[in-house]
Amino acid sequence: MEVWGTLLPRVTAAAAVLMEARSGKVLYMKNGHLRRPPASTTKMMTGILAIEQGDLKEWVTISQKAARVGEASIHLTAGEKLRLEDLVKGALIRSGNDAAAAVAEHVGGSEEFFIYLMNKKARLLGAGNTLFQNPHGLPAQNHYASAYDLGLIARYALTNEVFASIVRTRETTIRGSWSRYLRNTNRLLWRYPWANGVKTGTTDAAGKCLVASATREGLTLIAVVLKSHDRYRDAETLLEYGFQNFDYYAIAKGSVWGTVKVANGKPSRVTAVALWNDVFILEKDRKKDLRFKVNIVSEVQAPLRKGENLGFLEVFKEEQRIGRIPLGAGEESRKLGLIERLRKLGEGLNDD
């Protein structure tokens, strides 16, 4: 099977996705919407919710319930106090199930309400094949996610610099009643030079799972592999496929695409700028195939607000339109007063 003349990669994973981080464009998919147990990749949602909803500097008292959560652990003890930030690190870096449970209890007020927040966030992100029953990913009935959904969650979470900084950390130390050394469970951070996240997961039901991110030459890719026989090789294979075969063209919010005259305005011309960021994924070395068509008004009346609509930019790849970006005023233009308009009229007469 080929895409754009390129042989697709082969991976051992039961389900896999390769996604470009900024646009969300899928570059490869294998059973991408299949619902599967996500194991500890669940903790991506736990971590981003804690960062967004909690105060990372707050002290958290560990409950007996959280301390008793088994399997992967940072060995919390009931009554011990740690900062929320360190518990998030324990969950994301060392994959501590006890840390994830403690985070959920503290941020949500109860684990049950935190799980409600997790599922609400998943729906907001468009993760329609995801349902969480706990904050750590231990096996539970009707606890599932798809490879595509995990890519969506990772894509969103990586836009938060606190989250991104934690998941790219190889080693660190946190402090509670005693100091704990944390070594990241994601071995890709050592074996793949461009890797910068995200989260491992392993249970008997889920198999070996990995959500991996990497950045090379400004392009960030997210690879998700679920129930893989070799998750690190599978992730590397997908990431290399993406970096070797795809490129991008970014249009930045605020970039200038023309000017428009403003009648009776000061200034008398304003720039027409892109109103949002956009990125277009292309086959390697095909940027030359892009064409741009600017559609803006020739003149508007003052007053004009900054950001007010002036038209749009169309992006074409050969003859196919692949994007449409609104253009707006890059600056405001106030309406000239009567005296200013008369003076301007006089200057125009003098020019004759």
Side-chain angles (χ1 to χ4, degrees), residues 21-248:
R22 281 185 290 185
S23 67
K25 183 177 178 64
V26 173
L27 307 180
Y28 172 89
M29 183 182 291
K30 175 184 178 182
N31 298 323
H33 297 296
L34 182 67
R35 294 175 175 179
R36 293 200 48 79
S40 285
T41 61
T42 297
K43 296 185 178 88
M44 294 190 300
M45 182 64 85
T46 302
I48 190 60
L49 272 182
I51 292 166
E52 290 181 342
Q53 302 294 326
D55 180 350
L56 295 179
K57 299 306 178 185
E58 280 187 350
W59 289 94
V60 179
T61 301
I62 307 304
S63 71
Q64 286 189 352
K65 181 182 176 183
R68 286 199 301 264
V69 179
E71 298 195 26
S73 171
I74 62 170
H75 308 292
L76 296 173
T77 57
E80 184 180 9
K81 292 185 177 182
L82 290 86
R83 290 193 186 275
L84 179 60
E85 180 178 14
D86 286 339
L87 287 171
V88 173
K89 290 177 179 178
L92 291 176
I93 295 174
R94 191 58 196 154
S95 202
N97 295 326
D98 49 356
V103 166
E105 291 176 352
H106 179 78
V107 175
S110 69
E111 185 173 294
E112 291 72 22
F113 186 67
F114 188 82
I115 294 166
Y116 164 79
L117 294 177
M118 293 173 71
N119 288 314
K120 183 178 180 181
K121 189 74 169 184
R123 289 192 295 273
L124 288 173
L125 295 178
N129 286 307
T130 292
L131 184 64
F132 297 117
Q133 301 293 344
N134 60 56
H136 38 65
L138 285 172
Q141 188 175 5
N142 290 324
H143 184 97
Y144 55 78
S146 69
Y148 175 77
D149 285 3
L150 291 172
L152 288 181
I153 294 167
R155 179 191 172 212
Y156 172 80
L158 287 169
T159 63
N160 184 292
E161 181 50 39
V162 175
F163 180 96
S165 175
I166 291 173
V167 296
R168 66 174 174 255
T169 300
R170 292 182 178 184
E171 301 167 294
T172 192
T173 300
I174 62 173
R175 290 170 176 80
S177 298
W178 49 281
S179 294
R180 292 171 171 84
Y181 164 74
L182 305 179
R183 180 179 173 86
N184 204 310
T185 58
N186 182 5
R187 297 178 191 170
L188 204 66
L189 295 174
W190 282 268
R191 60 182 278 174
Y192 191 65
W194 301 277
N196 50 19
V198 173
K199 189 72 194 73
T200 59
T202 308
T203 64
D204 290 343
K208 294 188 180 296
C209 305
L210 177 63
V211 180
S213 64
T215 302
R216 188 192 298 179
E217 296 178 356
L219 180 64
T220 298
L221 302 177
I222 297 168
V224 182
V225 293
L226 304 180
K227 198 175 184 181
S228 169
H229 295 297
D230 189 341
R231 57 186 165 188
Y232 299 111
R233 184 180 295 276
D234 277 352
E236 283 187 51
T237 297
L238 289 177
L239 292 168
E240 275 302 303
Y241 165 74
F243 288 130
Q244 292 293 333
N245 293 290
F246 297 95
D247 205 345
Y248 73 98

Side-chain angles (χ1 to χ4, degrees), residues 3 47 108 111 187 194 210 271 276 295 312 328 341 344:
V3 171
E111 185 173 294
R187 297 178 191 170
W194 301 277
L210 177 63
T271 55
W276 64 48
N295 300 277
F312 55 90
R341 293 202 303 272
K344 184 177 180 181

Side-chain angles (χ1 to χ4, degrees), residues 304-352:
L304 183 70
R305 299 185 307 274
K306 183 176 180 179
E308 194 166 334
N309 182 59
L310 297 176
F312 55 90
L313 168 70
E314 291 181 294
V315 184
F316 294 86
K317 185 180 126 184
E318 296 176 334
E319 299 305 315
Q320 179 186 6
R321 192 179 78 176
I322 59 173
R324 189 175 186 271
I325 301 168
L327 300 177
E331 47 279 322
E332 69 175 17
S333 178
R334 67 175 179 84
K335 187 173 183 178
L336 293 173
L338 177 60
I339 294 176
E340 289 176 306
R341 293 202 303 272
L342 291 172
R343 184 181 298 121
K344 184 177 180 181
L345 180 62
E347 289 172 353
L349 292 174
N350 290 336
D351 289 340
D352 292 338

